Amino acid sequence: MTQSNVSSTPEHGTEFLPKYDAHGLLTAVVTDYDSNAVLMVAFMNAEAVASTIETGFAHFYSRSRKKQWRKGESSGHVLAVREILTDCDQDALVLRCKPAGPTCHTGEKSCFYRRLGDGRLERLPA
Amino acid sequence: MTQSNVSSTPEHGTEFLPKYDAHGLLTAVVTDYDSNAVLMVAFMNAEAVASTIETGFAHFYSRSRKKQWRKGESSGHVLAVREILTDCDQDALVLRCKPAGPTCHTGEKSCFYRRLGDGRLERLPA
């Protein structure tokens, strides 16, 4: 099947062409499938993107440990990926997920549990 | 006023201590204040964080142009920031915004207008 030029550009096409930075990473934003709340932000390399698509569970790349990790591999709080969105230039993904438990390692539902108010952080209302 | 140890840790404290990476950047996720939809993902340096807080309008750092930019400076499609959330280790921010127009440079409301389905990208239903 031939592809038109338009369909093969990253911005207007139907081809999934993830764009990794100089370190081989792109940004992943995890949102709650039901509430749309942002749960966490992490990085993915090509291996993590492939593992996520293949298994249906979110995988990321740890910059400190320099390796792929499966979210929940120790806590059990996995993220079942229901939908993957890409942005215009395909250097960021949104993973719309059903979380199996708190997403944050602190035990909070979301890593974003504080907001900036008058120069200090305050807890978001539950 | 003395601070307890707890209140001064990045994860549990009330101090805003943005954590920049080796390039002096952190990740910013822009969401629509009303719908919670993710509109765009960009990077901020300390200057962009300060400009955003000072003006109430979203500023970012362009890695390609190597300088701060104010979202909407040419298009007029500014992002009025209503709330800034930080994640546990403070290396990512969520800017909850009221957009003055389409956020994506393609004219789309959000940069995330496509999803992955069966190995190809498809347009999200309106």
Side-chain angles (χ1 to χ4, degrees), chain A residues 16-34:
Chain A
F16 184 47
L17 300 164
K19 188 179 157 193
Y20 301 97
D21 68 11
H23 306 285
L25 302 176
L26 53 72
T27 307
V29 179
V30 175
T31 64
D32 185 287
Y33 186 78
D34 297 314

Side-chain angles (χ1 to χ4, degrees), chain A residues 22-114:
Chain A
H23 306 285
L25 302 176
L26 53 72
T27 307
V29 179
V30 175
T31 64
D32 185 287
Y33 186 78
D34 297 314
S35 70
N36 253 358
V38 178
L39 298 177
M40 64 177 284
V41 171
F43 294 92
M44 295 172 99
N45 62 356
E47 186 192 10
V49 170
S51 301
T52 299
I53 293 170
E54 194 180 305
T55 65
F57 289 95
H59 289 67
F60 303 106
Y61 179 82
S62 167
R63 293 182 296 175
S64 52
R65 288 178 289 143
K66 294 187 175 31
K67 61 170 198 164
Q68 179 187 241
W69 60 288
R70 179 176 183 254
K71 168 67 186 162
E73 62 192 6
S74 52
S75 67
H77 301 150
V78 295
L79 294 166
V81 180
R82 291 295 173 91
E83 194 169 61
I84 298 177
L85 313 183
T86 180
D87 72 346
C88 43
D89 60 357
Q90 303 200 38
D91 66 356
L93 301 178
V94 168
L95 310 181
R96 297 186 63 206
C97 296
K98 290 270 196 179
T103 296
C104 189
H105 73 288
T106 60
E108 302 277 350
K109 199 168 164 180
S110 162
C111 293
F112 294 89
Y113 50 85
R114 291 169 300 177

Side-chain angles (χ1 to χ4, degrees), chain B residues 11-26:
Chain B
E11 296 196 351
H12 301 285
T14 57
E15 267 189 275
F16 183 47
L17 300 164
K19 187 178 157 193
Y20 301 97
D21 69 11
H23 306 284
L25 303 176
L26 53 71

